[in-house]
Amino acid sequence: MPPTDSGLSSSSDDTLELQLPPDFGALCGDGHRPPASPDGPGAGPLLDNLAGWGAADTPAGTFALVPVRPARDLDRITGWMNDPAVAAFWELAGPPETTATHLRSQLDGDGRSVPCLGVLDGVPMSYWEIYRADLDPLARHYPARPQDTGLHLLLGAGYRGRGLGGTLLRATADLVLDHRPRCTRVVAEPDVRNTASVAAFLSAGFRYADELELPVKRAALMVRDRAHRHLL
């Protein structure tokens, strides 16, 4: 992540690698993975129909997560990924095909990671990945709990340096906790070098739980606990 909150970005390992828990097949009628949703992974069971979560009112305006549609969104997201402040940490600078491959690895999966646009008062202004941290390679590096939900975020250039990161992180964590009743924690793993990003998570009610040596970075494990959400 960049050393300011200009990106609030976080790269990730392949979110499609770990196996579903053994009891999930009974829930979905399949021993390995849930059936694919005709409406895309955002409408699937692993993230409790993220596409239907609706909007949140924030001090900055009305905010919603809208699952990515490459035909509509690829050029916009590619532009963000080629911003040097973002590219230094997401490492996805390049032609649209680079971004498309990254998106497709999620969109063609079982719904454990959903790429989204963050839309503020009707304007797409950020890119998010909402993912099942307990089913992600990240779970090998911290004591994951069932249903842990992870966040990755980058802000478009015109929305940086205004304190929006903390506001939108809080709103998104609240959306997760409101719509995923089995989830007890929202987690994130920003690069420890990005002190402004860590500060944004802290302002959003996350706690600095640990430092993790991940394959591509040293990360701050940020955790927002359901049990404490109304105290922060």
Side-chain angles (χ1 to χ4, degrees):
M1 296 181 193
T4 70
D5 75 348
S6 60
L8 287 175
S9 53
S10 175
S11 64
S12 67
D13 293 325
D14 180 4
T15 58
L16 307 178
E17 183 177 342
L18 297 190
Q19 294 298 312
L20 293 167
D23 61 345
F24 196 84
L27 178 63
C28 296
D30 185 310
H32 299 286
R33 60 178 57 224
S37 168
D39 300 313
L46 283 179
L47 284 165
D48 295 290
N49 187 28
L50 183 156
W53 287 2
D57 292 326
T58 81
T62 301
F63 179 74
L65 294 169
V66 179
V68 164
R69 288 166 39 196
R72 177 192 65 196
D73 305 324
L74 179 60
D75 288 346
R76 185 190 308 275
I77 298 171
T78 298
W80 288 336
M81 292 299 182
N82 278 279
D83 182 330
V86 173
F89 296 94
W90 283 76
E91 300 182 346
L92 289 171
E97 291 77 13
T98 300
T99 301
T101 297
H102 179 75
L103 296 174
R104 186 55 57 193
S105 68
Q106 299 171 81
L107 295 171
D108 286 348
D110 56 17
R112 69 182 66 188
S113 183
V114 178
C116 297
L117 292 182
V119 179
L120 185 65
D121 285 338
V123 179
M125 44 71 66
S126 54
Y127 172 74
W128 298 74
E129 292 172 355
I130 312 300
Y131 68 99
R132 282 286 298 273
D134 59 327
L135 302 179
D136 188 87
L138 177 64
R140 301 190 183 108
H141 301 278
Y142 84 106
R145 297 179 186 171
Q147 303 292 333
D148 275 357
T149 305
L151 307 179
H152 297 144
L153 161 66
L154 71 82
L155 297 178
Y159 294 87
R160 302 172 189 166
R162 297 162 47 181
L164 280 174
T167 297
L168 299 184
L169 285 167
R170 180 179 290 274
T172 299
D174 283 339
L175 283 170
V176 170
L177 295 173
D178 286 343
H179 294 281
R180 302 208 65 236
R182 296 172 294 167
C183 171
T184 63
R185 304 188 304 181
V186 182
V187 303
E189 20 78 39
D191 194 301
V192 295
R193 297 172 295 170
N194 191 345
T195 56
S197 180
V198 172
F201 279 100
L202 291 171
S203 73
F206 288 74
R207 58 185 172 85
Y208 196 116
D210 202 354
E211 290 189 7
L212 308 177
E213 289 291 350
L214 303 182
V216 297
K217 65 183 177 183
R218 184 167 181 82
L221 177 64
M222 309 301 298
V223 178
R224 183 153 184 224
D225 300 283
R226 177 185 293 278
H228 300 153
R229 67 180 295 199
H230 297 302
L231 304 177
L232 301 169

